[in-house]
Amino acid sequence: MRPDDIDGWPTGRLLSTAARLVEQSWESLLRAHDLTHAGLFVLHAVEHAPASQREIARSARVTDQTMSRTIEKLERAGYVTREPYPGDERRKLVTVTDTGRTTYRKLIELEREDATLTAAVGDVAALRSQLLALVRALHTVP
């Protein structure tokens, strides 16, 4: 098999390669808005309601320290604010700003309307359905 003959690649290799290529494209778009995947996760977590930094870290399965650095970057970009948690000054409550909410919604819309993906796949909804089934089947919660 020639290395460039992707028709002969195993499905797992195709899926891994496709995921990397989509991720690289998405990361480029996020960088243009001074964001990372982790930052987008935070904006998603606080889009509708504030959350504690610790809650966000737990749901992302990262340490409080790792999440703190992500949130600091979002705060510098004007996407979130942090305030002392009511009743516990040591904890921080993270709230999305109007700028953060607008940017988050714009990026989600851009992802949904990704013309490159639509042109490559055609039926993005069918692909999404299959990916959801795959992730649900393989995902285990510790």
Side-chain angles (χ1 to χ4, degrees):
M1 176 174 78
R2 294 187 341 256
D4 61 345
D5 181 16
I6 65 173
D7 292 328
W9 285 5
T11 303
R13 183 174 177 194
L14 285 170
L15 188 57
S16 294
T17 301
R20 272 194 311 279
L21 293 171
V22 168
E23 183 174 23
Q24 288 168 1
S25 173
W26 185 234
E27 284 175 349
S28 176
L29 180 63
L30 291 175
R31 269 193 310 275
H33 291 85
D34 200 23
L35 280 170
T36 62
H37 284 284
L40 191 67
F41 180 91
V42 172
L43 293 179
H44 175 78
V46 297
E47 180 194 13
H48 297 293
S52 78
Q53 189 169 300
R54 180 165 290 147
E55 292 166 337
I56 299 167
R58 272 200 199 113
S59 66
R61 295 188 177 142
V62 299
T63 66
D64 289 351
Q65 184 179 7
T66 296
M67 186 53 64
S68 178
R69 287 190 298 268
T70 299
I71 292 171
E72 283 172 12
K73 185 175 180 183
L74 290 172
E75 195 172 30
R76 283 192 306 272
Y79 292 147
V80 300
T81 60
R82 284 190 294 183
E83 299 171 8
Y85 196 87
D88 187 350
E89 294 285 322
R90 296 169 296 165
R91 294 175 65 193
K92 298 293 181 190
L93 188 64
V94 180
T95 304
V96 68
T97 64
D98 289 340
T99 301
R101 184 177 288 107
T102 300
T103 301
Y104 172 75
R105 289 179 180 168
K106 176 183 174 185
L107 287 167
I108 296 306
E109 197 59 37
L110 285 171
E111 186 211 14
R112 286 189 181 127
E113 296 173 355
D114 187 340
T116 305
L117 189 57
T118 302
V121 176
D123 190 350
V124 176
L127 173 63
R128 182 175 169 74
S129 177
Q130 290 176 328
L131 290 172
L132 284 167
L134 179 63
V135 169
R136 286 182 178 130
L138 297 177
H139 187 288
T140 57
V141 179

mmCIF file of all heavy atoms in Angstrom, residues 14 24 39 46 66-67 85 90 99 107 115 122 126 128 137-138:
data_model
loop_
_atom_site.group_PDB
_atom_site.id
_atom_site.type_symbol
_atom_site.label_atom_id
_atom_site.label_comp_id
_atom_site.label_asym_id
_atom_site.label_seq_id
_atom_site.Cartn_x
_atom_site.Cartn_y
_atom_site.Cartn_z
ATOM 1 N N LEU A 14 -8.264 6.897 9.249
ATOM 2 C CA LEU A 14 -9.024 7.927 8.543
ATOM 3 C C LEU A 14 -9.702 8.870 9.532
ATOM 4 O O LEU A 14 -9.668 10.090 9.367
ATOM 5 C CB LEU A 14 -10.077 7.293 7.632
ATOM 6 C CG LEU A 14 -9.590 6.653 6.350
ATOM 7 C CD1 LEU A 14 -10.723 5.868 5.687
ATOM 8 C CD2 LEU A 14 -9.039 7.709 5.404
ATOM 9 N N GLN A 24 -7.349 21.402 13.350
ATOM 10 C CA GLN A 24 -6.424 22.448 12.926
ATOM 11 C C GLN A 24 -7.177 23.632 12.325
ATOM 12 O O GLN A 24 -6.859 24.793 12.603
ATOM 13 C CB GLN A 24 -5.420 21.887 11.925
ATOM 14 C CG GLN A 24 -4.408 20.974 12.554
ATOM 15 C CD GLN A 24 -3.589 20.201 11.523
ATOM 16 O OE1 GLN A 24 -3.768 20.365 10.323
ATOM 17 N NE2 GLN A 24 -2.708 19.342 12.004
ATOM 18 N N GLY A 39 -10.779 27.662 26.266
ATOM 19 C CA GLY A 39 -11.506 28.915 26.456
ATOM 20 C C GLY A 39 -12.924 28.823 25.939
ATOM 21 O O GLY A 39 -13.870 29.321 26.565
ATOM 22 N N VAL A 46 -20.461 28.885 30.885
ATOM 23 C CA VAL A 46 -21.047 30.042 31.578
ATOM 24 C C VAL A 46 -21.952 30.873 30.678
ATOM 25 O O VAL A 46 -22.368 31.968 31.059
ATOM 26 C CB VAL A 46 -19.952 30.938 32.215
ATOM 27 C CG1 VAL A 46 -19.181 30.167 33.280
ATOM 28 C CG2 VAL A 46 -19.028 31.529 31.176
ATOM 29 N N THR A 66 -5.088 24.633 36.238
ATOM 30 C CA THR A 66 -5.151 24.688 34.777
ATOM 31 C C THR A 66 -6.311 25.577 34.337
ATOM 32 O O THR A 66 -6.168 26.424 33.448
ATOM 33 C CB THR A 66 -5.307 23.275 34.181
ATOM 34 O OG1 THR A 66 -4.139 22.520 34.509
ATOM 35 C CG2 THR A 66 -5.496 23.306 32.686
ATOM 36 N N MET A 67 -7.462 25.395 34.970
ATOM 37 C CA MET A 67 -8.633 26.191 34.613
ATOM 38 C C MET A 67 -8.403 27.650 34.958
ATOM 39 O O MET A 67 -8.841 28.542 34.228
ATOM 40 C CB MET A 67 -9.882 25.658 35.318
ATOM 41 C CG MET A 67 -11.153 26.345 34.878
ATOM 42 S SD MET A 67 -11.423 26.361 33.077
ATOM 43 C CE MET A 67 -11.597 24.630 32.709
ATOM 44 N N TYR A 85 -16.767 34.264 45.163
ATOM 45 C CA TYR A 85 -17.975 33.441 45.259
ATOM 46 C C TYR A 85 -18.749 33.859 46.509
ATOM 47 O O TYR A 85 -18.154 34.018 47.578
ATOM 48 C CB TYR A 85 -17.567 31.965 45.348
ATOM 49 C CG TYR A 85 -18.674 30.999 45.084
ATOM 50 C CD1 TYR A 85 -18.974 30.597 43.786
ATOM 51 C CD2 TYR A 85 -19.433 30.471 46.132
ATOM 52 C CE1 TYR A 85 -19.985 29.690 43.534
ATOM 53 C CE2 TYR A 85 -20.448 29.572 45.879
ATOM 54 C CZ TYR A 85 -20.728 29.186 44.585
ATOM 55 O OH TYR A 85 -21.734 28.293 44.329
ATOM 56 N N ARG A 90 -12.527 32.579 48.950
ATOM 57 C CA ARG A 90 -11.421 31.861 48.312
ATOM 58 C C ARG A 90 -11.802 31.351 46.927
ATOM 59 O O ARG A 90 -10.946 31.139 46.085
ATOM 60 C CB ARG A 90 -10.991 30.675 49.175
ATOM 61 C CG ARG A 90 -10.418 31.108 50.532
ATOM 62 C CD ARG A 90 -10.257 29.928 51.436
ATOM 63 N NE ARG A 90 -11.616 29.394 51.698
ATOM 64 C CZ ARG A 90 -11.875 28.218 52.213
ATOM 65 N NH1 ARG A 90 -10.901 27.406 52.522
ATOM 66 N NH2 ARG A 90 -13.114 27.822 52.420
ATOM 67 N N THR A 99 -19.438 40.716 25.464
ATOM 68 C CA THR A 99 -18.469 40.432 24.394
ATOM 69 C C THR A 99 -18.202 38.931 24.295
ATOM 70 O O THR A 99 -18.153 38.364 23.198
ATOM 71 C CB THR A 99 -17.146 41.188 24.643
ATOM 72 O OG1 THR A 99 -17.429 42.582 24.686
ATOM 73 C CG2 THR A 99 -16.122 40.894 23.568
ATOM 74 N N LEU A 107 -18.979 32.159 16.983
ATOM 75 C CA LEU A 107 -18.142 31.004 16.651
ATOM 76 C C LEU A 107 -18.961 29.737 16.472
ATOM 77 O O LEU A 107 -18.703 28.946 15.558
ATOM 78 C CB LEU A 107 -17.068 30.806 17.718
ATOM 79 C CG LEU A 107 -15.953 31.840 17.690
ATOM 80 C CD1 LEU A 107 -15.118 31.769 18.953
ATOM 81 C CD2 LEU A 107 -15.090 31.654 16.454
ATOM 82 N N ALA A 115 -18.718 25.908 5.499
ATOM 83 C CA ALA A 115 -18.905 25.538 4.093
ATOM 84 C C ALA A 115 -17.921 24.466 3.644
ATOM 85 O O ALA A 115 -18.261 23.615 2.819
ATOM 86 C CB ALA A 115 -18.769 26.773 3.213
ATOM 87 N N GLY A 122 -21.203 16.818 2.607
ATOM 88 C CA GLY A 122 -22.562 16.882 2.077
ATOM 89 C C GLY A 122 -23.574 16.945 3.200
ATOM 90 O O GLY A 122 -24.011 18.014 3.591
ATOM 91 N N ALA A 126 -26.095 14.057 9.110
ATOM 92 C CA ALA A 126 -25.916 12.601 9.173
ATOM 93 C C ALA A 126 -24.557 12.263 9.791
ATOM 94 O O ALA A 126 -24.451 11.350 10.625
ATOM 95 C CB ALA A 126 -26.048 11.974 7.793
ATOM 96 N N ARG A 128 -22.873 14.153 11.855
ATOM 97 C CA ARG A 128 -22.986 14.501 13.278
ATOM 98 C C ARG A 128 -23.703 13.410 14.059
ATOM 99 O O ARG A 128 -23.280 13.027 15.147
ATOM 100 C CB ARG A 128 -23.713 15.838 13.413
ATOM 101 C CG ARG A 128 -23.846 16.322 14.821
ATOM 102 C CD ARG A 128 -24.463 17.717 14.889
ATOM 103 N NE ARG A 128 -24.826 18.055 16.230
ATOM 104 C CZ ARG A 128 -23.979 18.379 17.189
ATOM 105 N NH1 ARG A 128 -22.698 18.423 16.934
ATOM 106 N NH2 ARG A 128 -24.395 18.673 18.400
ATOM 107 N N ALA A 137 -21.114 5.612 22.399
ATOM 108 C CA ALA A 137 -20.796 4.186 22.550
ATOM 109 C C ALA A 137 -19.429 3.978 23.194
ATOM 110 O O ALA A 137 -19.242 3.022 23.954
ATOM 111 C CB ALA A 137 -20.845 3.493 21.194
ATOM 112 N N LEU A 138 -18.491 4.859 22.915
ATOM 113 C CA LEU A 138 -17.115 4.674 23.411
ATOM 114 C C LEU A 138 -16.813 5.461 24.666
ATOM 115 O O LEU A 138 -15.833 5.183 25.344
ATOM 116 C CB LEU A 138 -16.126 5.086 22.311
ATOM 117 C CG LEU A 138 -16.179 4.268 21.026
ATOM 118 C CD1 LEU A 138 -15.215 4.829 19.997
ATOM 119 C CD2 LEU A 138 -15.905 2.800 21.290
#
